[in-house]
């Protein structure tokens, strides 16, 4: 028995048609565009605020681990310099990005999904109540019919009891 393997092109097409791949591609594109906005906010707003206390660029905040920290005549750094300002800038960019994504995307979507789930549960609750009520009514009818039959009364199917007719 030989099984036919899907072609390379068919496999690639199936991969691309998965919903999560397209969603991921859209997220990457939007994330890249959003990164530009965050970078502009950090450079245009955060850096000047930090500049009020020191230099305008976070990248210029450094510490010297091993002296002397200066650029030599050959253009290379002498000593060991730690650029903690760059780390601070990247951390601020991350925190701003995470906060905006959470407060503008994740939180509203979570609230929306919670509302939809509550509405769905409310509809199910009403449906269950109707089903239970309908079941109770049917049980009452059954009990009434059983009680009538056991008391010697007429059943629902025969209608009101009538005196027996003479058959001639």
């Amino acid at each position: 028995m030989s099984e036919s393997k899907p072609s390379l092109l068919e496999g690639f097409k199936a991969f691309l048609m998965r919903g999560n791949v397209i969603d991921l591609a859209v997220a990457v594109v939007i994330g890249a565009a959003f990164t530009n906005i965050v970078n502009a906010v950090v450079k245009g707003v955060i850096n000047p605020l930090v500049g009020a206390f020191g230099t305008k660029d976070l990248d210029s905040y450094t510490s010297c681990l091993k002296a002397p920290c200066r650029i030599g005549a050959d253009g290379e750094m002498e000593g060991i310099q730690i650029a903690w300002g760059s780390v601070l800038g990247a951390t601020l960019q991350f925190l701003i990005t995470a906060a905006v994504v959470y407060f503008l995307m994740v939180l509203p979507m979570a609230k929306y999904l919670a509302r939809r789930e509550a509405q769905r549960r409310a509809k199910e609750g009403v449906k269950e109540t109707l089903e239970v009520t309908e079941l109770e009514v049917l049980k009452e009818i059954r009990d009434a019919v059983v009680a009538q039959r056991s008391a010697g009364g007429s059943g629902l199917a025969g209608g009101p009891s009538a005196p027996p007719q003479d058959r001639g």
Side-chain angles (χ1 to χ4, degrees), residues 101-161:
V101 166
Y102 179 76
F103 290 112
L104 295 182
M105 295 177 191
V106 173
L107 189 62
M109 183 58 79
K111 286 183 179 181
Y112 170 74
L113 292 175
R115 272 196 316 267
R116 291 215 30 211
E117 181 66 19
Q119 289 172 348
R120 185 188 65 79
R121 285 185 181 168
K123 286 181 183 177
E124 283 182 2
V126 168
K127 184 186 280 186
E128 287 177 7
T129 303
L130 290 176
E131 288 175 1
V132 168
T133 305
E134 187 176 314
L135 185 61
E136 289 174 359
V137 169
L138 289 173
K139 285 180 181 179
E140 288 176 9
I141 292 171
R142 179 200 63 200
D143 293 343
V145 168
V146 168
Q148 281 181 349
R149 285 186 182 167
S150 65
S154 66
L156 290 176
S161 57

Side-chain angles (χ1 to χ4, degrees), residues 10-113:
E10 288 173 353
F12 184 66
K13 181 181 175 186
F15 172 74
L16 287 181
M17 292 320 223
R18 291 182 188 165
N20 56 355
V21 172
I22 303 218
D23 292 342
L24 182 61
V26 169
V28 167
V29 170
I30 289 176
F34 186 68
T35 299
N36 291 334
I37 293 171
V38 171
N39 288 340
V41 168
V42 169
K43 288 180 182 171
V45 177
I46 304 294
N47 283 351
L49 288 175
V50 172
F53 302 103
T55 61
K56 290 186 178 181
D57 188 12
L58 288 176
D59 292 337
S60 64
Y61 287 102
T62 60
S63 294
C64 191
L65 188 61
K66 184 176 179 185
C69 285
R70 63 177 181 228
I71 299 176
D74 57 355
E76 288 200 24
M77 176 65 68
E78 296 177 5
I80 299 173
Q81 186 177 26
I82 297 175
W84 60 271
S86 298
V87 174
L88 179 63
T91 303
L92 287 174
Q93 287 177 344
F94 171 77
L95 290 175
I96 291 169
T97 302
V100 169
V101 166
Y102 179 76
F103 290 112
L104 295 182
M105 295 177 191
V106 173
L107 189 62
M109 183 58 79
K111 286 183 179 181
Y112 170 74
L113 292 175

